Amino acid sequence: MADQSDYKLMVIEEAATAPQEFEVAFNSCALNVKSKNYSQAEEICSKAITLLQQSTGPRFKVRELTSFALSNRGVGRLMAKNETAALSDFYEAQQISGNELVSHNLTRAKQDLAL
């Protein structure tokens, strides 16, 4: 987990059992958001989400990781001032997984946007 203006970015630790290609895309997404390369972050996060949709892994884990990737992309989109797309990502992530970090990002975005 990395901090970005109190938004939480999720990363996969090396010990995880995620496929290598997905792990690289997922962590690169968070790194690009943290580095303020928002357009590249959005592209890479979208790639991670696509890889997850094609995954044959355990459904629970795929859903959770998809939720995290959507939340990370949402943070990047929000920082890039694409608020509508960011909120869409946060709400979708929240529907997929009610994870505490995902919920935090949605709540924070609603506060920041005065919703």
Side-chain angles (χ1 to χ4, degrees), residues 22 43-55 66 69 73:
F22 168 73
E43 181 181 319
I44 294 169
C45 291
S46 296
K47 178 182 178 182
I49 293 164
T50 298
L51 289 170
L52 277 164
Q53 291 170 342
Q54 299 167 354
S55 174
T66 300
R73 185 173 72 181

Side-chain angles (χ1 to χ4, degrees), residues 25-112:
F26 191 93
N27 290 342
S28 181
C29 165
L31 177 63
N32 276 282
V33 171
K34 188 170 175 71
S35 300
K36 300 180 181 180
N37 299 324
Y38 303 126
S39 61
Q40 189 170 6
E42 181 173 354
E43 181 181 319
I44 294 169
C45 291
S46 296
K47 178 182 178 182
I49 293 164
T50 298
L51 289 170
L52 277 164
Q53 291 170 342
Q54 299 167 354
S55 174
T56 58
R59 297 310 308 158
F60 171 78
K61 190 50 111 178
V62 169
R63 289 178 61 78
E64 183 178 54
L65 290 172
T66 300
S67 175
F68 291 165
L70 283 162
S71 184
N72 284 353
R73 185 173 72 181
V75 172
R77 285 176 163 177
L78 192 64
M79 298 299 157
K81 306 293 186 218
N82 189 352
E83 292 93 354
T84 302
L87 283 173
S88 176
D89 281 346
F90 290 138
Y91 278 112
E92 185 176 354
Q94 177 66 32
Q95 284 183 324
I96 292 171
S97 168
N99 179 280
E100 179 181 327
L101 298 173
V102 171
S103 296
H104 168 83
N105 285 345
L106 174 59
T107 300
R108 177 64 190 223
K110 288 175 15 181
Q111 288 171 346
D112 286 350

